[in-house]
Amino acid sequence: MTTRRKKIYEGKAKILYEGPEPGTLIQYFKDDATAFNGEKKAQLEGKGVINNRISEYIMTRLNGIGVQNHFIRRLNLREQLIKEVEIIPLEVVVRNIAAGSIATRLGLTEGQPLPRSIIEFYYKEDKLNDPMVSEEHITAFNWAATQEIDDMMAMALRVNDYLSGLFSGVGITLVDFKIEFGRIYEGDFSRVILADEISPDSCRLWDSQTNEKLDKDRFRRDLGNVIESYTEVARRLGIMKEMPTVIQGGMH
């Protein structure tokens, strides 16, 4: 890491640096793990390396089916070159099975299949614990236009369809996931593209046979073996051969 690079933004799990050319950024994946809006924190050695690789794998394939996103290429173990976008201040959550907050809010049994895939919006504001919002809130406060909401929902469902099949093929159930979007400008026009990351940090992934959790819930709920579970997801996706071996939480 060089201190000469200009840091643009630092979040809980990633740092954005100025890119080598206009309209680009370098996205650096940290080993920091956080939960409950940053109240629970830890360093999990190797997490950033695994998430960088899994997110590259998924974003590349989504680009291949026409879901445009900010990923350009992976630079090294922890960094990828991305398009600079204007982030829309919303988290878009797609749920297939009851887990996490929806189970608590609606009194559902965790693991209960939902009648259909459900999309929820959350306002990205740590100080407010990312409250759930409606389309009315989004348009009233001008966080996104109606057409942008439609575009985000359509892309979210395409991502859900693709990832559900991808993970199902390797014995993993996609329970739910969180994605973010950004605007990219072309002259006077802007369009919405997928941004941020897709990894076990942002998805609930359960083993299809045992329902064993292979995602960040292992950290949230003190289940242990977080890195081993993330590594298992990468191994099943067939990308471990290009990564260092992870042994008991360390990189080797």
Side-chain angles (χ1 to χ4, degrees), residues 53 61 77 90 167 184 212 224:
R53 190 63 186 86
R61 275 150 186 76
L77 283 175
L90 297 168
F167 284 119
I184 193 161
E212 180 187 2

Side-chain angles (χ1 to χ4, degrees), residues 95-100 102-103 108-114 175-176 206:
R95 301 184 184 274
N96 301 308
I97 292 169
I102 195 171
L108 303 173
T109 303
E110 184 165 275
Q112 174 183 336
L114 299 173
V175 175
D176 58 37
W206 294 357

Side-chain angles (χ1 to χ4, degrees), residues 33 40 42 44-45 47 50 200-201 213-233 246 249:
K40 182 178 182 179
L44 300 175
E45 188 181 352
K47 181 177 83 78
I50 299 169
D201 266 10
K213 294 171 175 60
L214 302 172
D215 55 67
K216 193 175 170 180
D217 271 349
R218 299 204 69 86
F219 175 69
R220 291 187 190 99
R221 303 184 186 188
D222 297 314
L223 298 174
N225 295 330
V226 181
I227 293 298
E228 289 81 355
S229 296
Y230 282 35
T231 304
E232 176 64 12
V233 173
V246 178

Side-chain angles (χ1 to χ4, degrees), residues 1-8 17-19 26:
M1 294 296 296
T2 170
T3 55
R4 290 193 297 274
R5 288 197 302 198
K6 182 181 177 184
K7 185 192 291 186
I8 304 296
Y17 293 98
E18 194 171 57
I26 293 171

Side-chain angles (χ1 to χ4, degrees), residues 1 5 13-14 26-31 44-57 71 73-81 197 199 234 239-246 250-252:
M1 294 296 296
R5 288 197 302 198
K14 295 182 293 297
I26 293 171
Q27 181 166 254
Y28 175 89
F29 287 76
K30 302 194 290 184
D31 284 341
L44 300 175
E45 188 181 352
K47 181 177 83 78
V49 173
I50 299 169
N51 281 352
N52 181 24
R53 190 63 186 86
I54 291 175
S55 194
E56 174 205 9
Y57 180 89
F71 179 80
R73 66 178 182 275
R74 180 164 55 92
L75 299 173
N76 53 48
L77 283 175
R78 292 185 178 273
E79 295 179 331
Q80 47 186 240
L81 185 68
E197 68 174 298
S199 74
I239 58 181
M240 280 305 295
K241 59 184 177 293
E242 298 175 33
M243 293 176 57
T245 305
V246 178
M251 301 304 300
H252 299 271

Side-chain angles (χ1 to χ4, degrees), residues 1-186:
M1 294 296 296
T2 170
T3 55
R4 290 193 297 274
R5 288 197 302 198
K6 182 181 177 184
K7 185 192 291 186
I8 304 296
Y9 169 81
E10 181 165 1
K12 300 188 190 81
K14 295 182 293 297
I15 304 173
L16 295 179
Y17 293 98
E18 194 171 57
E21 53 204 51
T24 67
L25 296 171
I26 293 171
Q27 181 166 254
Y28 175 89
F29 287 76
K30 302 194 290 184
D31 284 341
D32 299 44
T34 64
F36 313 117
N37 202 23
E39 291 176 21
K40 182 178 182 179
K41 299 177 183 177
Q43 281 267 319
L44 300 175
E45 188 181 352
K47 181 177 83 78
V49 173
I50 299 169
N51 281 352
N52 181 24
R53 190 63 186 86
I54 291 175
S55 194
E56 174 205 9
Y57 180 89
I58 291 173
M59 291 293 195
T60 300
R61 275 150 186 76
L62 289 174
N63 256 327
I65 64 161
V67 178
Q68 294 185 320
N69 58 68
H70 72 170
F71 179 80
I72 300 172
R73 66 178 182 275
R74 180 164 55 92
L75 299 173
N76 53 48
L77 283 175
R78 292 185 178 273
E79 295 179 331
Q80 47 186 240
L81 185 68
I82 60 171
K83 298 170 188 169
E84 184 174 15
V85 301
E86 178 186 284
I87 286 288
I88 294 170
L90 297 168
E91 294 182 345
V92 182
V93 174
V94 183
R95 301 184 184 274
N96 301 308
I97 292 169
S101 65
I102 195 171
T104 307
R105 265 186 286 127
L106 303 183
L108 303 173
T109 303
E110 184 165 275
Q112 174 183 336
L114 299 173
R116 59 176 173 81
S117 299
I118 293 174
I119 299 177
E120 296 174 342
F121 294 98
Y122 294 82
Y123 177 47
K124 274 174 59 71
E125 180 51 78
D126 286 346
K127 290 180 285 189
L128 302 174
N129 292 320
D130 301 333
M132 188 175 171
V133 294
S134 69
E135 293 181 42
E136 274 291 292
H137 295 115
I138 295 167
T139 53
F141 294 110
N142 203 30
W143 296 326
T146 302
Q147 183 59 56
E148 291 177 323
I149 295 172
D150 290 345
D151 291 344
M152 288 189 288
M153 291 180 72
M155 277 191 275
L157 289 174
R158 282 205 75 194
V159 172
N160 187 45
D161 287 345
Y162 182 78
L163 291 187
S164 293
L166 177 72
F167 284 119
S168 177
V170 295
I172 295 174
T173 300
L174 179 64
V175 175
D176 58 37
F177 62 93
K178 182 268 295 183
I179 49 179
E180 296 182 23
F181 293 91
R183 297 181 187 94
I184 193 161
Y185 289 89
E186 294 157 344

